Amino acid sequence: MTEALSSLAETFKNVGVSRAYGPAVTVDGEELIPVALVSFGFGGGGNSGPGPAGAAAGAGEGPAAGGGGGGFVLPLGVYCRGGDGQVSFRPNTIAVLAGLVPLVCAVGYSVRGVLRTLRRR
């Protein structure tokens, strides 16, 4: 189990700002730096004891371990520097709207709850 955790830690060692901002590229005379929302997660567990008394044959005999992980990347847009040297952010409209859906839903449910409470008084 220790080896697996060490391997996993080594894999995710470089997760951070370097994953959220991509390398600069030049397109039509503009320098572009891609920006993304990056999220990773992983977990694991183990059991070194015997299984429950009523377990099926072969189940829970000896030590067991497992783990898993996953992640996602949401491209938010690019920072661009034009020929005049001004830096601006150009959002990826579809990705930003998709990222705002949970926030809009939460606000909607909250407003609905407040309005129902006020109506009962």
Side-chain angles (χ1 to χ4, degrees):
M1 184 73 170
T2 305
E3 293 173 17
L5 288 176
S6 297
S7 173
L8 207 53
E10 190 65 33
T11 302
F12 287 97
K13 188 175 179 181
N14 296 325
V15 173
V17 175
S18 63
R19 296 284 187 226
Y21 297 96
V25 293
T26 303
V27 177
D28 292 334
E30 284 187 312
E31 185 179 12
L32 304 175
I33 300 173
V35 180
L37 174 65
V38 181
S39 179
F40 290 98
F42 57 92
N47 178 14
S48 59
E61 295 178 5
F72 75 93
V73 177
L74 182 66
L76 297 177
V78 296
Y79 280 109
C80 59
R81 180 179 301 160
D84 59 353
Q86 291 284 24
V87 176
S88 61
F89 180 75
R90 292 187 188 163
N92 178 351
T93 309
I94 294 171
V96 171
L97 290 176
L100 288 177
V101 167
L103 177 65
V104 171
C105 288
V107 170
Y109 283 125
S110 298
V111 169
R112 185 178 89 178
V114 169
L115 291 177
R116 280 186 177 178
T117 303
L118 292 175
R119 232 186 304 174
R120 290 181 185 166
R121 288 184 177 186

